[in-house]
Amino acid sequence: MILEMKNISKRFDKLHVLKDISFGVDSGEVVSIIGPSGSGKSTLLRCATFLETIDGGEIIYMGKKAAHTDADGNAVYVSPKEMREFRTYCGLVFQQFNLFPHYSILKNLTDAPIHVQHRSREEAEMTAMELLGKMGIADKAKAYPFQLSGGQQQRVAIARALAMKPEILFFDEPTSALDPELTGEVLKVIRQLAEEKMTMVVVTHEMPFAKAVSNRVLFMDGGVVVEQGSPEEVFDNPKEERTKQFLRVFER
């Protein structure tokens, strides 16, 4: 198993955002997380990728614990040196692309592999060009983010995450900032990655996409996983009334 998150709890002051959440992701699996805004989906991804710290529970990558709860009930993380290794296991694609505006597209893809992973410039650039070709934007290598459409920028963001060669890729509503035409471009790329058995966790409001691409779907609301199962179970035969209410909105 690539990732296990066990009994994850997270608070922001008095707001209990994640309440005892547990799930795992196997190699080659695509897990979609759906649910209303404010249900804790993005926070869960930020905890999984170490952008936020948990208050309780366990985070396990590749069978190794990155965080656990001690005898006093406090979350304890591995050392900064060990954490650098854990960070290489995961990549995150944000809603708003988060590209460096003053870097060319090629430099956006090669900067971290060269300076963080200490790969040679030649190798990093070769990998970057392969990925840009895969995304259909190899001709944009010398361009800057402002010269690209939103869909192209998001494809660059996906290529940048893949350039680090992660074991698992997380997407936080990757199409929410795009119009419908550009949304199709990005979903096509994610669908292609799914066909290539890239391990992914996708937070999305695109229900037909989640149903078509996922191996498993989690429905979150109020900081808990209300229901999870195969796409057929969750979308076609949901057991929980809250899941049924949520999905009715998308059937209209």
Side-chain angles (χ1 to χ4, degrees), residues 12 18 25 28 35 46 50 75 79 81 88 128 139 145-146 156 159 161 174 180 200 206-207 234 237 240-241 243 246:
F12 292 111
L18 301 176
V25 186
R46 291 178 67 84
F50 309 113
S79 69
K81 182 180 179 181
T88 66
D139 59 327
F146 77 90
V156 171
M200 295 185 285
E206 302 288 339
M207 297 302 139
V234 174
N237 191 29
E240 302 296 328
E241 185 56 37
T243 314
F246 177 77

Side-chain angles (χ1 to χ4, degrees), residues 77-92:
Y77 281 78
V78 295
S79 69
K81 182 180 179 181
E82 291 173 295
M83 182 53 70
R84 282 196 288 275
E85 179 185 351
F86 279 102
R87 289 184 190 279
T88 66
Y89 294 146
C90 54
L92 176 59

Side-chain angles (χ1 to χ4, degrees), residues 103-238:
Y103 285 179
S104 70
I105 298 309
L106 184 62
K107 187 169 171 59
N108 262 283
L109 265 68
T110 60
D111 196 61
I114 291 170
H115 294 107
V116 177
Q117 296 182 331
H118 308 296
R119 281 150 59 188
S120 70
R121 182 172 299 278
E122 183 181 22
E123 181 197 348
E125 289 187 353
M126 185 171 70
T127 298
M129 291 307 299
E130 286 175 1
L131 287 168
L132 290 175
K134 185 175 182 176
M135 301 294 154
I137 46 176
D139 59 327
K140 304 296 184 183
K142 294 181 179 178
Y144 285 81
F146 77 90
Q147 296 173 304
L148 274 59
S149 71
Q152 290 171 330
Q153 288 187 59
Q154 191 60 294
R155 281 183 277 161
V156 171
I158 295 170
R160 181 177 65 177
L162 289 169
M164 298 294 282
K165 300 184 178 179
E167 297 289 340
I168 182 171
L169 198 52
F170 295 87
F171 293 85
D172 187 7
E173 297 187 20
T175 60
S176 65
L178 304 175
D179 65 37
E181 187 175 2
L182 300 180
T183 291
E185 293 179 12
V186 174
L187 295 182
K188 182 180 177 182
V189 169
I190 300 174
R191 192 184 296 265
Q192 180 184 348
L193 292 173
E195 290 171 356
E196 295 169 3
K197 299 300 181 184
M198 179 73 201
T199 309
M200 295 185 285
V201 176
V202 186
V203 168
T204 183
H205 287 299
E206 302 288 339
M207 297 302 139
F209 170 79
K211 185 176 180 180
V213 173
S214 308
N215 301 106
R216 198 151 38 88
V217 178
L218 274 65
F219 171 62
M220 284 182 65
D221 189 28
V224 301
V225 175
V226 176
E227 187 164 352
Q228 64 174 301
S230 68
E232 293 76 21
E233 288 170 332
V234 174
F235 287 108
D236 297 335
N237 191 29

Side-chain angles (χ1 to χ4, degrees), residues 61-81:
Y61 274 98
M62 316 292 286
K64 296 180 285 187
K65 284 186 185 179
H68 69 278
T69 306
D70 66 14
D72 297 321
N74 300 312
V76 179
Y77 281 78
V78 295
S79 69
K81 182 180 179 181

